[in-house]
């Protein structure tokens, strides 16, 4: 019945339900947002425009929710980069600190470099990187544990063949250690002076 009354009326504000969020209560608060509206008729006209722009365009609701979600993700990602990444500095005093204080700041960033979600997702690098997927698994300074590639594809994420590393005949040929051995054998790179 409410929809039929609205559709029969010439204006969206012709019928109002009861309550704090009805058309009538919004119309009473609407002049507070206006700068220089001298006439109630002009107020009614702009209030009607406001109703049509915001509430009569139902297909735009999904875009509003997507925009809000994207904005929240953007704020979270930027806040994480600003507060956790030691390479991002937004205060001048942090740039000129002596090295011991910089080391203290760098210790705050260990969750940025050794995050549980990052360690979990990088174990599936072989699903997306064909050549040397394990090139960054070993960390020479020990800030984080050495990573190990998972033996299978992630469940409900990547559906590709082969599903397991053991089914791929070229997997071990494309690993970082094997490529280094090939480069050293043909003389393209020098052998390191240390043993792993």
């Amino acid at each position: 019945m409410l929809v039929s009354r609205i559709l029969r009326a010439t204006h969206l504000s012709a019928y109002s339900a009861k309550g704090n969020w009805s058309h009538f209560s919004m119309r009473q608060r609407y002049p507070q947002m206006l700068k220089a509206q001298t006439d109630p008729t002009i107020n009614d006209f702009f209030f009607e425009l406001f109703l049509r722009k915001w509430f009569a365009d139902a297909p735009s609701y999904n875009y509003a929710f997507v925009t809000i979600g994207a904005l929240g993700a953007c704020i979270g990602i930027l806040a994480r980069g600003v507060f956790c990444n030691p390479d991002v500095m937004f205060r001048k005093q942090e740039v000129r600190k002596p090295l011991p204080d910089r080391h203290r700041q760098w210790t705050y960033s260990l969750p940025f470099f050794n995050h549980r979600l990052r360690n979990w997702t990088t174990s599936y690098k072989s699903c997306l990187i064909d050549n040397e997927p394990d090139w960054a698994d070993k960390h020479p300074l020990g800030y984080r544990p050495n990573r190990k590639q998972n033996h299978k594809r992630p469940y409900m994420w990547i559906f590709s063949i082969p599903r397991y590393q053991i089914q791929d005949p070229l997997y071990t040929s494309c690993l970082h250690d094997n490529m280094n051995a090939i480069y050293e054998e043909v003389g393209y790179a020098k052998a390191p002076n240390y043993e792993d």
Side-chain angles (χ1 to χ4, degrees):
M1 181 170 172
L2 178 64
V3 176
S4 63
R5 287 187 188 181
I6 293 174
L7 293 177
R8 281 199 311 262
T10 57
H11 299 287
L12 284 176
S13 58
Y15 173 76
S16 176
K18 296 179 181 179
N20 292 332
W21 293 102
S22 63
H23 286 169
F24 178 76
S25 62
M26 289 178 67
R27 173 64 185 86
Q28 299 304 314
R29 290 191 291 264
Y30 185 71
Q32 298 173 359
M33 304 297 177
L34 301 176
K35 291 186 177 179
Q37 300 296 334
T38 56
D39 194 334
T41 306
I42 297 176
N43 286 352
D44 289 338
F45 172 74
F46 282 108
F47 179 67
E48 186 69 30
L49 283 180
F50 161 74
L51 287 179
R52 290 199 177 278
K53 296 290 184 184
W54 280 94
F55 298 108
D57 192 11
S60 66
Y61 289 163
N62 52 353
Y63 297 113
F65 290 125
V66 167
T67 304
I68 291 169
L71 182 64
C74 176
I75 291 172
I77 291 168
L78 290 178
R80 178 178 178 266
V82 166
F83 294 120
C84 299
N85 191 349
D87 297 326
V88 176
M89 292 164 254
F90 61 97
R91 293 191 294 181
K92 290 184 179 178
Q93 65 180 13
E94 294 181 352
V95 181
R96 297 178 179 87
K97 281 188 176 177
L99 200 56
D101 290 332
R102 301 293 294 153
H103 278 292
R104 176 184 55 80
Q105 284 183 322
W106 292 336
T107 58
Y108 297 153
S109 67
L110 286 178
F112 182 80
F113 289 113
N114 190 24
H115 193 269
R116 183 172 184 168
L117 184 61
R118 178 179 294 206
N119 290 332
W120 179 75
T121 53
T122 50
S123 67
Y124 293 106
K125 281 190 297 185
S126 60
C127 306
L128 302 172
I129 303 172
D130 294 330
N131 192 20
E132 300 183 54
D134 61 335
W135 69 274
D137 284 351
K138 293 179 182 176
H139 198 284
L141 297 177
Y143 288 162
R144 58 167 173 78
N146 290 334
R147 295 179 176 133
K148 185 178 179 184
Q149 294 300 310
N150 207 327
H151 69 283
K152 60 183 178 181
R153 302 281 192 218
Y155 176 68
M156 292 186 67
W157 181 14
I158 295 176
F159 298 102
S160 59
I161 298 173
R163 292 293 297 163
Y164 298 93
Q165 291 174 356
I166 197 169
Q167 297 173 341
D168 186 3
L170 296 177
Y171 177 73
T172 54
S173 302
C174 295
L175 292 180
H176 184 62
D177 292 336
N178 188 51
M179 297 302 285
N180 285 342
I182 293 172
Y183 291 151
E184 293 164 12
E185 183 180 347
V186 297
Y188 184 74
K190 292 182 180 179
N193 295 328
Y194 59 89
E195 292 288 333
D196 283 342

